[in-house]
Amino acid sequence: MTELTKVLHHRIAQNGPMSLAEFMETCLLHPAHGYYTQQDVFGASGDFVTAPETSQMFGELLGLCLAQSWQDQGCPAPFVLLELGPGRGTLMADILRATSRIDGFHQAMRLHLFEASKKLIDQQRKSLIGFDPVWLDNLADLPNLPLFCVANEFFDALPLHQYQRKGEGWHERQIGLTDGQLSIGLNKNPSVTPQLKARIEDTAEGDIVEINPQTRAIAAQIGNHIEAYKGVAIIIDYGNWRSLGDTIQAVKNHQFVDILKAPGEVDLTAHVDFEAIVNAAACAASRLTPQGVLLERLGITPRAQTLAKNLSGPALEHHIAAHRRLTHPDEMGTVFKALALFPKASSPPPGFQT
Ligand code: SAH
């Protein structure tokens, strides 16, 4: 039994069954035993490899995309450059390197990071030495300045609720204890969350839908800020326009595992509901674009060819595989989607369409 399993048993014994949102948040961010607060999760020796950890090209292209949007909006100075959930700081380090020669960009930028894990904040401090980032505990503390924001595999880590349809009503799925083991069951009382009513139209008996209050709240904050003060947000994650079904998954050592098996020691994520982000944001939104298509439009192939000129042997093989992994439809190219938020009075950033 993991340490966190004991914490969960104790809580359920005291308070009764908990929502999947409470389960997910506890598993990921419990201060002593949470997944992001305890483990070294990234890279080949960790549990998963994200796009920025796959190749420097990912951050370079997103950095240039943000910088072009900044120029298109008249080079506002000062402005906030923000990353949500920066992990090891690799993506931001690549963005900063790629934008170092953009006239005035670094001088005007106020770097902000939004990160829940103290352990990862320490790693980000090391990766971003010399840039003096400000870590925000609350997005409401964002300065009233134009906001250029990036979030890669951030929204998939936010805790969500699941509801199962019974007749015309919905019952929340919860984690309880059966014969001394964690188990998933349904709340006997129906839930009356208003968003569920609208889902009667596109669901059938027994279907599961997911609602993510933190995603909505953060999208509202970022979207309202961009509409009020200008800027853009680029959000990349796996998911779809609208969620249907149970999409919570657990990963350990690059393999899928049961979500109840080793709480705190496995990564838990869920598909991002991009429609919920767009509906919560007061600004304009691009069409959802597959990651591979976006990176091709931003010029990944010529960039890959330039980098390849200085490589040979295993390093070249690795580079070619990374290019394929980021863009190919059988790898991350189609499963991962990109969305841009931008002011209603502006055009979408390069690579995106309305
Ligand atoms: N963007 C990075 C890391 C993705 S992992 C990359 O692409 O490699 C998810 C990141 O979001 C981690 O840094 C994690 O600690 C952070 N995170 C998860 N939940 C969070 C929350 N509720 N608030 C702030 N950060 C969170």
Side-chain angles (χ1 to χ4, degrees):
M1 200 185 270
T2 66
E3 285 304 313
L4 197 71
T5 310
K6 292 181 198 159
V7 173
L8 293 166
H9 275 235
H10 182 69
R11 247 197 238 174
I12 294 168
Q14 285 208 314
N15 308 330
M18 65 171 69
S19 67
L20 275 156
E22 183 178 348
F23 173 74
M24 207 170 152
E25 177 141 29
T26 311
C27 289
L28 293 179
L29 297 176
H30 185 277
H33 311 297
Y35 180 72
Y36 283 116
T37 41
Q38 290 312 303
Q39 327 264 323
D40 233 343
V41 299
F42 300 98
S45 60
D47 292 326
F48 55 88
V49 183
T50 60
E53 302 293 341
T54 300
S55 167
Q56 67 185 77
M57 295 186 289
F58 184 78
E60 290 172 348
L61 295 170
L62 291 186
L64 294 177
C65 177
L66 288 172
Q68 180 68 56
S69 306
W70 175 73
Q71 289 179 336
D72 291 345
Q73 293 189 25
C75 304
F79 74 93
V80 171
L81 180 63
L82 169 70
E83 183 173 356
L84 305 175
R88 290 209 284 212
T90 309
L91 172 56
M92 188 47 77
D94 291 337
I95 289 175
L96 293 170
R97 195 181 57 256
T99 52
S100 62
R101 295 218 191 109
I102 307 284
D103 204 18
F105 191 80
H106 280 208
Q107 290 82 337
M109 150 189 111
R110 306 283 178 269
L111 181 58
H112 286 68
L113 304 173
F114 184 61
E115 172 56 62
S117 156
K118 296 233 165 2
K119 186 174 162 126
L120 288 174
I121 288 179
D122 287 340
Q123 289 200 18
Q124 292 156 17
R125 190 172 280 119
K126 285 186 200 137
S127 307
L128 302 171
I129 241 160
F131 286 99
D132 216 9
V134 173
W135 280 270
L136 290 171
D137 288 331
N138 192 331
L139 290 176
D141 298 334
L142 271 173
N144 293 343
L145 295 172
L147 173 66
F148 291 80
C149 171
V150 64
N152 184 62
E153 291 208 48
F154 165 72
F155 284 97
D156 67 16
L158 299 182
L160 49 68
H161 297 266
Q162 287 187 339
Y163 303 88
Q164 187 158 26
R165 181 165 168 183
K166 273 181 155 188
E168 298 290 289
W170 297 93
H171 294 258
E172 179 153 17
R173 298 185 85 210
Q174 298 176 311
I175 309 277
L177 289 172
T178 307
D179 302 329
Q181 303 277 337
L182 294 174
S183 63
I184 301 185
L186 280 189
N187 190 332
K188 286 194 197 71
N189 302 319
S191 297
V192 288
T193 310
Q195 288 129 8
L196 290 170
K197 263 198 181 154
R199 298 302 303 268
I200 290 294
E201 279 166 28
D202 71 331
T203 53
E205 179 69 14
D207 277 352
I208 293 172
V209 299
E210 298 177 327
I211 292 188
N212 193 323
Q214 283 193 35
T215 290
R216 284 163 195 257
I218 292 173
Q221 260 162 330
I222 299 290
N224 296 353
H225 194 104
I226 287 173
E227 192 54 28
Y229 302 103
K230 298 214 264 182
V232 300
I234 298 175
I235 296 164
I236 301 185
D237 228 306
Y238 63 104
N240 286 302
W241 179 246
R242 180 175 296 182
S243 87
L244 182 62
D246 167 17
T247 74
I248 300 184
Q249 62 189 36
V251 167
K252 183 75 190 165
N253 297 327
H254 307 268
Q255 305 284 335
F256 290 113
V257 295
D258 185 329
I259 68 163
L260 301 178
K261 201 174 149 225
E265 293 178 3
V266 304
D267 186 32
L268 286 181
T269 56
H271 283 199
V272 172
D273 179 355
F274 285 96
E275 183 187 36
I277 294 181
V278 171
N279 286 345
C283 61
S286 73
R287 236 184 277 168
L288 212 50
T289 310
Q291 172 174 302
V293 172
L294 175 71
L295 295 176
E296 286 301 345
R297 287 183 186 154
L298 294 177
I300 194 168
T301 298
R303 179 65 185 139
Q305 285 162 348
T306 305
L307 288 171
K309 282 185 193 142
N310 296 322
L311 299 171
S312 59
L316 180 59
E317 297 296 316
H318 186 266
H319 171 64
I320 292 168
H323 179 198
R324 183 186 147 89
R325 177 153 171 74
L326 290 180
T327 55
H328 198 279
D330 292 343
E331 303 218 29
M332 298 173 89
T334 306
V335 179
F336 280 77
K337 312 279 195 314
L339 177 82
L341 302 177
F342 52 96
K344 285 183 179 149
S346 303
S347 341
F352 291 92
Q353 295 171 335
T354 47

